[in-house]
Amino acid sequence: MFLFCGCQKDKVVNERLIAMLKSLRLFAMIIGLIFAMQISCVAAKSNDGHLFPVKRGNIAGFIDITGDVIIPLQFAEVGEFSEGLAAAQDVESGKWGYIDRTGTFIISPQFRTAGFFSEGLAGVRMEDSDGWYINRSGELIIPGYGGSIVQNGMAPVKKQGKTIFTDKKGKELFEVSGDAWPVSGGLIAFMKNGRMGFVDRQGIVIIQPIYHCDVNWRDQQFEERITPVSKLMPNGKDKFGFIDISGKTVVDFQYDWAEQFFDGLAMVVKDGKYGYINTAGEVVIPLEFDGAEHFSEGLAAVEVNGRWGFMDTSGKVVIDPQYLPRIWGSPMIFCEGLAAVRTETGTGFINKSGEMVVPTVYSSAEDFAYGLARVGSLSNPDYVNKRGEVIWSKNNITSKNE
């Protein structure tokens, strides 16, 4: 998932990030929707009975991939299903609880906010108390929920400026200063005095906190056993390099920006030009593009003279640069074989041959997930399938099974 660490950037970053930061209100709305979906193109799954949240007017429910209404529109808001339950906001009380796939409240509406279930626990907040982790019966298990989910049997708890990691019963395992989050390679990133370091799963410091936390996709750090980090150089400027899980520098600190590895390649920026390196730090696609995104499904979007196209991992451009940047600045990537692109007429989707399969008539579009894509209004979208058919429209008076 695409995330900022929340620290102050004091370096020049690419134009896409600057544009996003200049539109904070829109950016926050987009990121909120992405968090709500909890779906990553990197880990795309088959549909397997997935239900899609929909809203018409002030009431919300769920449809299946064909557009059939499975859970009637009867809630104020709903979240995505996770581990068989979905957060739902009661219309009358305004409180959140959890429903099953029949639309029945399994955990009664009683919370001010309600998060996703992960490994049997979900984070909630009460009206008059701090956050808690609850179990599937709605019992309060661990106090101190701070917005993160349970991973690898550990629950991060926020307390007095520290992050305490507990087991799923609330037994404290270790603590670190400031914010902290699990990453790959058996490590946990943490912040101390505005700098990022890494501990192991026993809380032992493996990499000292000397790096800035200006990274995207931070939960995927070390997924390829190395990760980009930035630090202040003697000339007073921040530069990006790559370190391994022992903290050893494996790619010198020379870049103005760097991304995580995807499909074995990482996007890097120097002097305003974009290219890609491999895990050995070798430049395999020259830094000659005006903009670039990370690879997904074997292709990456690149910018030439203000227009975007796609190239493969050999550096060959396979879809000519002809598209405008996506209007809200999110990565232009392939998900489930299709990529959202924008022209003067709007946003639609192309396949890997560059054929337009969903017409560019929408004001905005999210990437495909579980066979459908949200299009149109970001706060109350329609859904289209991979044939470009609108299977749910918020403007229809009735839909199938209503």
Side-chain angles (χ1 to χ4, degrees):
M1 169 175 292
F2 175 79
L3 292 172
F4 287 116
C5 293
C7 53
Q8 179 66 37
K9 295 184 184 295
D10 54 3
K11 61 181 177 297
V12 176
V13 297
N14 62 57
E15 293 180 359
R16 174 171 59 84
L17 293 174
I18 294 173
M20 291 167 66
L21 291 171
K22 287 181 177 179
S23 304
L24 287 176
R25 289 182 64 188
L26 182 59
F27 173 71
M29 182 172 66
I30 298 302
I31 291 301
L33 285 170
I34 293 172
F35 285 162
M37 291 181 68
Q38 290 289 296
I39 296 171
S40 171
C41 183
V42 177
K45 303 175 181 178
S46 63
N47 179 269
D48 195 26
H50 185 80
L51 297 183
F52 302 84
V54 293
K55 193 171 184 180
R56 181 174 292 140
N58 295 319
I59 54 173
F62 288 88
I63 62 171
D64 66 12
I65 193 171
T66 70
D68 285 344
V69 174
I70 304 301
I71 299 178
L73 280 68
Q74 57 187 306
F75 308 102
E77 298 285 352
V78 293
E80 289 278 347
F81 272 89
S82 58
E83 300 185 358
L85 297 178
Q89 186 181 28
D90 180 62
V91 171
E92 292 186 4
S93 67
K95 304 288 187 181
W96 287 82
Y98 290 87
I99 60 173
D100 63 14
R101 290 174 66 92
T102 71
T104 303
F105 273 109
I106 301 302
I107 300 175
S108 62
Q110 57 190 288
F111 308 114
R112 178 165 53 89
T113 64
F116 298 89
F117 272 92
S118 175
E119 300 186 20
L121 297 178
V124 299
R125 287 189 172 87
M126 315 291 285
E127 285 293 347
D128 56 354
S129 69
D130 294 330
W132 283 80
Y133 289 96
I134 63 170
N135 62 19
R136 291 174 57 86
S137 298
E139 299 170 317
L140 303 178
I141 304 299
I142 307 171
Y145 166 69
S148 300
I149 63 173
V150 177
Q151 298 182 63
N152 301 310
M154 296 188 301
V157 170
K158 304 297 183 182
K159 187 177 181 181
Q160 297 178 342
K162 298 180 293 186
T163 301
I164 301 171
F165 284 86
T166 76
D167 64 17
K168 292 197 290 184
K169 294 183 179 180
K171 179 183 177 181
E172 293 189 9
L173 303 175
F174 62 91
E175 67 178 46
V176 295
S177 63
D179 189 23
W181 60 95
V183 299
S184 299
L187 298 180
I188 293 170
F190 72 99
M191 297 299 299
K192 184 176 182 180
N193 298 325
R195 295 292 184 266
M196 178 177 63
F198 298 87
V199 300
D200 63 18
R201 298 196 184 277
Q202 286 72 48
I204 299 172
V205 175
I206 303 299
I207 301 173
Q208 294 294 329
I210 60 174
Y211 302 106
H212 292 171
C213 67
D214 297 329
V215 293
N216 292 347
W217 306 90
R218 70 178 192 177
D219 55 335
Q220 295 185 28
Q221 289 173 291
F222 293 113
E223 192 146 294
E224 297 275 356
R225 308 296 286 180
I226 65 175
T227 195
V229 291
S230 69
K231 68 178 182 180
L232 193 65
M233 306 304 289
N235 63 3
K237 296 183 178 181
D238 269 356
K239 291 293 182 181
F240 278 80
F242 289 75
I243 60 174
D244 64 18
I245 58 174
S246 71
K248 177 184 176 182
T249 298
V250 293
V251 178
D252 289 339
F253 289 82
Q254 57 182 301
Y255 297 109
D256 301 323
W257 184 259
E259 295 276 2
Q260 305 290 346
F261 279 91
F262 292 87
D263 291 352
L265 298 176
M267 182 264 284
V268 293
V269 185
K270 181 186 280 189
D271 299 329
K273 291 296 183 180
Y274 295 65
Y276 297 83
I277 63 172
N278 61 19
T279 54
E282 302 166 331
V283 175
V284 293
I285 298 177
L287 280 70
E288 60 186 17
F289 298 98
D290 301 324
E293 300 287 1
H294 67 75
F295 276 90
S296 177
E297 299 184 3
L299 297 178
V302 291
E303 181 186 13
V304 178
N305 297 325
R307 295 284 173 160
W308 288 79
F310 291 85
M311 69 178 179
D312 62 22
T313 54
S314 73
K316 178 183 177 182
V317 174
V318 295
I319 299 175
D320 290 336
Q322 56 191 288
Y323 301 109
L324 300 172
R326 285 179 68 172
I327 194 167
W328 35 269
S330 73
M332 188 183 296
I333 58 177
F334 274 90
C335 290
E336 299 187 4
L338 299 177
V341 294
R342 187 168 70 96
T343 68
E344 284 77 5
T345 61
T347 300
F349 289 86
I350 60 172
N351 62 22
K352 291 184 179 180
S353 298
E355 300 166 328
M356 191 69 64
V357 295
V358 178
T360 54
V361 297
Y362 300 101
S363 58
S364 62
E366 296 178 2
D367 296 315
F368 270 87
Y370 300 100
L372 297 181
R374 302 181 186 191
V375 296
S377 168
L378 294 171
S379 60
N380 194 3
D382 298 334
Y383 282 91
V384 296
N385 62 22
K386 294 181 180 180
R387 296 185 296 274
E389 300 165 338
V390 178
I391 62 97
W392 170 267
S393 173
K394 61 182 176 296
N395 296 321
N396 286 353
I397 297 175
T398 60
S399 291
K400 292 187 293 182
N401 286 9
E402 285 190 285

